[in-house]
Amino acid sequence: LNLRGLAERALRNGDAAEAVRILEKAMRFGGSSCPGLADVLAIARRAAAAAPTPAASSSSLASPSDVGAASAKEGRATDEAKAAHGGTVEGRYSWSQTRETVEVNIFVPEATKAKAVNRVRVTEEGVQVDVSGSPVLKGDWEFKVEPEEDPDWEVRSLEGRHVLRLTIRKQPLPGGLSVVVWWRRVLKGDPAIDISVADEKQKERADKFSKAWTEAHAAFRDKVAQRTPISIDCSAEGGGADSMETS
């Protein structure tokens, strides 16, 4: 039920892929017996499949030069997002983040296989990952995370390097506040990144929402003020000429 709640929150935030990841994990842990979980997973998968991609957003009649320009623009936007939302700790790991998750790509030797991973321990406040008996990542998180008995990790290739990819979930703020916390670093004491770009984008979205709300509220008040009263004859047949007005 806890995983279902996390998945539903991801869906509300528009992150269908994250919802699918969580729900599939829940199913592996016997979630098929949880009423409605399979239905939520089906909805999440449909939402993920319908999510727009750079290729889908391009016109089918676009010329190769147009497609190339669009791809280059998309690539620049992706690079800017990575620069604003993550970074690299030289010789140790690279990382990125979304509104709800943090992804850490830990650098490991080229020949590393999944069976060489001795420990992946994720607690609310810290982490330790051991490969071939030696720690490759150990320390305290910048902020608290959602602890998991079975953390999501995999050994894979990334940009010409062998990495152990670990995905963890940020812990929501107390009181159910819908505030996005952008991390400056993964572990306390490690180099920090500049998150001012992310903060500015978040403020810009909040300002746009506030402006739209103010304009909609003003339009509603104007519409109410412009209503013309209508007289309705409420007198009974043969009775007095009582009447009332309504808008």
Side-chain angles (χ1 to χ4, degrees):
L1 290 177
N2 183 42
L3 290 174
R4 175 175 174 171
L6 293 173
E8 289 176 343
R9 188 176 69 186
L11 279 174
R12 288 194 297 271
N13 290 334
D15 195 348
E18 176 65 9
V20 170
R21 183 188 73 83
I22 295 171
L23 290 168
E24 288 180 343
K25 180 176 181 178
M27 295 294 282
R28 292 197 301 270
F29 279 90
S32 55
S33 60
C34 179
L37 190 65
D39 294 334
V40 178
L41 176 56
I43 292 171
R45 283 173 172 164
R46 287 197 295 270
T53 62
S57 62
S58 299
S59 169
S60 58
L61 299 178
S63 67
S65 60
D66 292 336
V67 173
S71 299
K73 183 177 181 180
E74 181 69 23
R76 288 194 298 271
T78 301
D79 291 341
E80 290 173 1
K82 287 182 178 179
H85 300 125
T88 299
V89 177
E90 192 62 34
R92 295 172 57 200
Y93 62 84
S94 63
W95 67 285
S96 61
Q97 62 182 313
T98 66
R99 297 164 62 92
E100 296 190 345
T101 64
V102 176
E103 183 180 276
V104 188
N105 294 296
I106 309 162
F107 304 145
V108 295
E110 187 64 30
T112 300
K113 304 295 183 183
K115 62 182 179 181
V117 180
N118 310 117
R119 175 190 300 179
V120 179
R121 181 170 177 265
V122 174
T123 67
E124 186 179 59
E125 298 182 347
V127 60
Q128 181 168 346
V129 178
D130 295 347
V131 174
S132 300
S134 300
V136 293
L137 184 71
K138 183 178 180 180
D140 297 326
W141 299 119
E142 171 77 342
F143 296 101
K144 290 183 178 181
V145 307
E146 294 282 4
E148 297 187 42
E149 294 183 4
D150 181 28
D152 288 330
W153 64 272
E154 63 175 332
V155 176
R156 55 168 296 168
S157 295
L158 176 68
E159 297 178 355
R161 302 192 67 159
H162 226 50
V163 302
L164 187 154
R165 172 170 291 176
L166 174 65
T167 303
I168 53 102
R169 295 187 59 80
K170 300 175 181 178
Q171 190 173 101
L173 293 178
L177 298 176
S178 57
V179 177
V180 179
V181 178
W182 295 111
W183 289 23
R184 294 180 181 276
R185 57 176 64 82
V186 174
L187 302 178
K188 293 180 179 178
D190 280 355
I193 64 169
D194 179 9
I195 61 170
S196 60
V197 175
D199 288 338
E200 289 172 3
K201 288 183 178 179
Q202 184 177 351
K203 183 178 182 300
E204 182 180 349
R205 285 193 295 267
D207 290 343
K208 286 183 178 178
F209 176 82
S210 177
K211 181 180 179 181
W213 173 260
T214 301
E215 291 176 348
H217 189 56
F220 174 76
R221 286 185 299 178
D222 290 343
K223 188 174 182 180
V224 170
Q226 292 170 7
R227 287 182 177 178
T228 303
I230 302 174
S231 296
I232 300 177
D233 187 0
C234 298
S235 61
E237 192 173 319
D242 294 338
S243 66
M244 64 179 292
E245 290 187 348
T246 179
S247 58

